[in-house]
Amino acid sequence: MADLTVGPAVPRPITPGGTLRAAPASGAAGFAEAFSRALGEVNTLQVRAEESARALASGKAGDTVDTVVSIEKANIAFQLTLQMRNKLLEAYQEIMRMQV
Amino acid sequence: MLSRLFEGTVDRLSQGLAFARERQAVVARNIANAETPGYQAQDVVFDDLLASASSGGPRAPAAAAPSRQIPARDGLARSDGNDVHLDRQMARLAETQIYQQALVQILSSHFTALKQAISGRV
Amino acid sequence: MDLFRALDISASGLSAQRKRMEVIGENLANSETARTAGGGPYRRKTVLLQAAEGPGFAAALGNGAAREGGVQVAGVVESADPPRRVHRPDHPQAGPDGFVSLPNVNPMTEMVDMLATTRAYEANATAFQAAKSMGIKLLELLR
């Protein structure tokens, strides 16, 4: 059991900026790209979580640890993209409110 | 991008959980066979090779538990060939249970922290 | 479900020890039975234990650590040891020489076995509880 090294349980800062383009001009395009990629990943995670849960429910010799962790991962990923979408929406609305 | 949130701590912890499950099952088998003539007690060790081989992204299929079975060798066998030492097995049972609980606690607070960071609310 | 494997293993242990206890009880109850239905004195019985294969053994998943099962009772065997010959001329089953064949059951041996069986039963019960707790604890992640 001493072999298992576990990292500290402190939250790592979420840096979606890691995939954003630096140039502000193409900022919108960069973010949209990152966002749609994130949506794809969320979908994959949710599909996987659902498949695991279904296998478990139908009595197949599923992996409960994997199922539980997949479900939580999918939840968190979904929340992240939801927040991203909210921020995007807020930003859009703010821009629309600007008097030209 | 999202998989970066999870790889490292979450994947390692869930491998630990799978390992704990396997170990408890093997200890249970040893205990069930504590009086079976000729039975050799087994133990389970964490297999780093299997562990690193199976850390994939979201597309990775559910991997086998990162563990390997080895003989327990707790002590001398008795006259009927059985080498289960019940007190050692009970200790291992308790160890495994505590280990698993610790991992669940850590993983749970990690998930909570991620959710808090995402929502901006504490 | 994979979580049930450990529960099934411990349950098999509980069953096996229960069976052993029954047989010990039978031995003790019949320690003076000089005549059985089949003729002859009662013969000491013991339980034959064998490690079991798991339910999904043929279609094994994972790397085998707990692919295997718990324990199973392979059978109940009668002792081949000769009966005790005791001189008791007034015993209904005594022969012309005044000796009667009594069961080859030694109550001390049975008591020692009973202690071992009790201890093994309790250990299996503890293992069962541990598996159950671990399963419940894992599911807490979803709360």
Side-chain angles (χ1 to χ4, degrees), chain B residues 62-120:
Chain B
S67 56
R68 219 175 55 234
Q69 211 175 132
I70 57 164
R73 298 248 167 79
D74 287 332
L76 293 174
R78 290 185 288 285
S79 57
D80 63 354
N82 182 306
D83 75 341
V84 173
H85 290 252
L86 208 50
D87 41 0
R88 287 291 304 129
Q89 293 301 317
M90 297 310 280
R92 224 171 257 141
L93 186 69
E95 256 174 54
T96 307
Q97 201 174 345
I98 291 165
Y99 171 73
Q100 191 254 11
Q101 278 188 25
L103 289 188
V104 170
Q105 297 289 89
I106 294 168
L107 189 52
S108 174
S109 59
H110 188 83
F111 281 146
T112 303
L114 279 174
K115 288 176 191 166
Q116 285 172 352
I118 287 167
S119 67

Side-chain angles (χ1 to χ4, degrees), chain C residues 26-114:
Chain C
E26 209 185 319
N27 288 342
L28 284 172
N30 285 291
S31 59
E32 295 287 304
T33 304
R35 190 162 68 151
T36 59
Y42 176 86
R43 301 192 97 92
R44 180 180 190 242
K45 290 187 183 147
T46 47
V47 170
L48 253 187
L49 296 173
Q50 208 176 65
E53 279 176 6
F57 190 69
L61 293 167
N63 47 355
R67 209 180 348 183
E68 297 130 323
V71 68
Q72 63 193 4
V73 171
V76 177
V77 287
E78 279 187 359
S79 165
D81 288 346
R84 280 182 297 140
R85 297 283 292 163
V86 179
H87 183 76
R88 246 186 244 172
D90 50 329
H91 194 284
Q93 266 80 48
D97 57 355
F99 276 85
V100 60
S101 290
L102 288 178
N104 53 357
V105 172
N106 181 347
M108 289 314 295
T109 311
E110 301 307 311
M111 293 308 283
V112 167
D113 278 1
M114 197 187 294

